Amino acid sequence: MRIKLLAVVASLVVTVSTNAVAQTPAFDTKAKQIYLVDGETGTVLFARGEDEPVPPASLAKLMAMEVVFEALDKGELSPETTYEVSEHAWRTGGAPSGTSTMFAAIKSRIRVADLIQGATVQLANDACIILAEGMTGSEAAFAKRMTARARELGMPIATFNNATGLPDPANKVTMRELVTLARHLREAHPNYYRLYSQAEFEWNKILQRNRNPLIAANVGVDGLATGFAEGFGFSLAASMQRGDRRVYLAMGGLESDKERTEESRRVLDWAMTAFEKRRIFADGEAIGEASVYGGAASRVALVAGGPIDVLLPVNNAERLTARIVYRWPLTAPVAAGQQVGVVKLWNGERLMLEVPVRTGSAVEVGTLTSRAIDALQELLFFWL
C-alpha cells in the first residue's frame, strides 16, 4: 500500500499522518474486560479495560505453570521428580475442597509429569499446591516467585498470593498481562504448551476431561484456560490458530459459563474473518526524522527496523495515523541502526500497534562551532 507522509516535529514527538483509511466494524462483546491481539503483527484488534486489575481465579495457574516450565527447561527439576502430597494440598485443593482437583491422595508421592498434566488439563488446585510446596517449601514462597517471574516477563501489575488463584484479595492481573503470559507460554515453552490442547488425561484410574470448552469445540483453539471469581464473573485466556493466522485473547467479566463460551467463539471468529493484513512501512523505509544535538548533521532519518504490517478492518473509513515518539534531541554520536524510539499506529482513536524505530545512518560529533550553535538553539527552545 502506497502512503504519503507528513512529518511535524512538536517538542518530543514526531507525528506522521497517512492518507490510508480504516474503519472499525460495528462489533462489541459482553465482556467487561478484553484484550485481543494478532499473533504475527502484534496488532491490537479489540481492547476494553485491558489494564484494570481483576481477580485471576484459575488463570493464575498459567503463571504457576510458567514457573514450573521454566524450572524444567533449566534442569532445576525433572518430569520424573516426585513430590509428597501434604495435608494442606489435600484439604485446600484435593478431594475435601470441592474445587477442581486431580484427587491426589494425602501422603502419596506424585511425579512432576503427572502434576503438570493435572494443572494444565484439569486446572487441578491440588496439583498446583503440591508443585509449589515441592519446589519452594511452601505455597507462599512459590507465590512470591510467581510474582517475581511476572515482573521479569513484563507484567507490572500481576500479583499472586497463592499458586491456584483461589480467592485472595491480593491476587490480581490484567487482560493485557494475560495475553503477554499466554504468548510467552506458547513461544518459550512449546513442548509444555501443547498440554493445554489435550482433550483428556487419565491418572490413577480417573479419566478427566479438559476444562476449557473451546478445546472440545475443535474451532482452532489450542489452549489455555478458564476461570471464575465471585464478584467478577467468568474469564478466559485462549490462543487460536486458523490457517496462517494466530490470535491471543483474554476476556473477563462474563455472567455465565455459557456466555463465556459463546462470546469467546464469536470474538475469535470475528478476529479471524473481519481483518486483512496490510504493509504500512517496508524494511528500512524512512518514516520520519529526528533532531540531533552536537552532530555533523542536524537531523537523521528514522526507519523501520523491519517490515511493519498491521491488520486493518475490511471496508473502513477511519484515518490511520502514525506517531513517532523519541527523546528530543538525540545526542551525537549516533550509530546507524540505533533504536531511538517507537512508532505508534492509530486507527482513529484506537492504538493498534507500537514498534521500534531506528536511525537510518550514523551521525558523527560535529565541529566546535556547530555544537555551540546547537547548544544555543536548545537553550532558546527551552526558554521559549
Side-chain angles (χ1 to χ4, degrees):
M1 179 177 59
R2 190 70 179 173
I3 53 180
K4 296 179 181 178
L5 301 174
L6 298 175
V8 180
V9 178
S11 67
L12 308 182
V13 180
V14 177
T15 304
V16 182
S17 298
T18 77
N19 61 1
V21 294
Q23 176 182 359
T24 304
F27 179 85
D28 204 355
T29 172
K30 297 176 183 178
K32 293 181 176 65
Q33 296 85 18
I34 180 172
Y35 197 56
L36 175 66
V37 177
D38 177 66
E40 179 189 1
T41 66
T43 304
V44 179
L45 305 179
F46 200 99
R48 175 193 294 145
E50 67 273 21
D51 294 317
E52 295 177 12
V54 298
S58 281
L59 298 181
K61 296 179 177 74
L62 298 177
M63 192 71 247
M65 287 302 98
E66 198 288 328
V67 172
V68 175
F69 297 160
E70 184 73 4
L72 285 164
D73 286 344
K74 290 183 175 179
E76 182 180 330
L77 72 160
S78 160
E80 299 304 314
T81 302
T82 62
Y83 290 134
E84 184 175 295
V85 182
S86 70
E87 182 173 348
H88 168 66
W90 178 70
R91 289 192 181 279
T92 306
S97 70
T99 64
S100 179
T101 179
M102 64 183 292
F103 300 100
I106 189 170
K107 301 301 181 183
S108 65
R109 296 190 69 88
I110 305 176
R111 295 187 313 150
V112 166
D114 296 320
L115 291 169
I116 61 176
Q117 286 213 86
T120 54
V121 179
Q122 179 61 15
L123 299 181
N125 289 313
D126 50 358
C128 292
I129 299 172
I130 296 163
L131 285 164
E133 293 179 332
M135 288 179 61
T136 62
S138 72
E139 187 179 6
F142 187 82
K144 289 181 180 178
R145 183 166 171 177
M146 289 167 62
T147 301
R149 181 61 177 157
R151 298 295 178 272
E152 293 175 2
L153 296 179
M155 301 165 62
I157 295 174
T159 304
F160 305 95
N161 213 33
N162 57 42
T164 59
L166 287 171
D168 188 300
N171 289 340
K172 58 184 177 180
V173 73
T174 70
M175 296 299 114
R176 185 192 299 271
E177 291 175 326
L178 285 171
V179 165
T180 296
L181 178 57
R183 189 166 194 161
H184 170 81
L185 282 167
R186 179 181 168 273
E187 293 175 355
H189 308 292
N191 291 333
Y192 296 113
Y193 174 84
R194 62 179 177 79
L195 296 175
Y196 287 106
S197 65
Q198 281 189 211
E200 61 188 27
F201 83 104
E202 183 175 347
W203 177 80
N204 201 23
K205 299 181 180 179
I206 301 173
L207 181 68
Q208 301 188 62
R209 290 181 171 82
N210 197 307
R211 295 180 69 87
N212 184 347
L214 297 180
I215 298 299
N218 196 29
V219 293
V221 172
D222 53 21
L224 300 152
T226 58
F228 169 75
E230 290 287 349
F232 169 61
F234 292 79
S235 55
L236 169 139
S239 182
M240 173 190 247
Q241 178 86 32
R242 185 179 292 178
D244 60 354
R245 289 275 317 284
R246 176 173 289 276
V247 294
Y248 294 90
L249 168 68
M251 59 194 305
L254 294 152
E255 294 185 357
S256 67
D257 185 13
K258 181 175 182 289
E259 184 175 83
R260 174 178 58 195
T261 300
E262 291 175 350
E263 280 298 284
S264 57
R265 290 189 64 169
R266 192 172 70 88
V267 168
L268 289 167
D269 185 65
W270 172 76
M272 290 297 187
T273 59
F275 295 85
E276 59 184 1
K277 185 169 74 171
R278 296 188 188 179
R279 177 144 297 173
I280 305 301
F281 299 112
D283 183 12
E285 180 179 350
I287 58 179
E289 57 182 19
S291 300
V292 179
Y293 171 78
S298 62
R299 310 183 74 78
V300 64
L302 298 180
V303 302
I308 299 180
D309 297 326
V310 66
L311 284 184
L312 295 176
V314 178
N315 302 323
N316 34 42
E318 288 281 346
R319 178 169 293 278
L320 183 68
T321 60
R323 172 167 292 185
I324 300 173
V325 182
Y326 72 99
R327 188 175 297 277
W328 180 94
L330 305 182
T331 302
V334 176
Q338 178 180 335
Q339 181 180 331
V340 294
V342 295
V343 58
K344 297 184 177 184
L345 293 170
W346 301 77
N347 184 23
E349 297 183 354
R350 181 164 63 92
L351 178 63
M352 301 186 71
L353 187 64
E354 181 176 320
V355 293
V357 291
R358 305 180 184 278
T359 51
S361 60
V363 178
E364 302 297 332
V365 175
T367 64
L368 182 60
T369 301
S370 66
R371 282 180 283 161
I373 293 173
D374 284 349
L376 179 59
Q377 289 177 335
E378 185 176 15
L379 180 63
L380 289 172
F381 174 85
F382 285 106
W383 181 78
L384 292 172

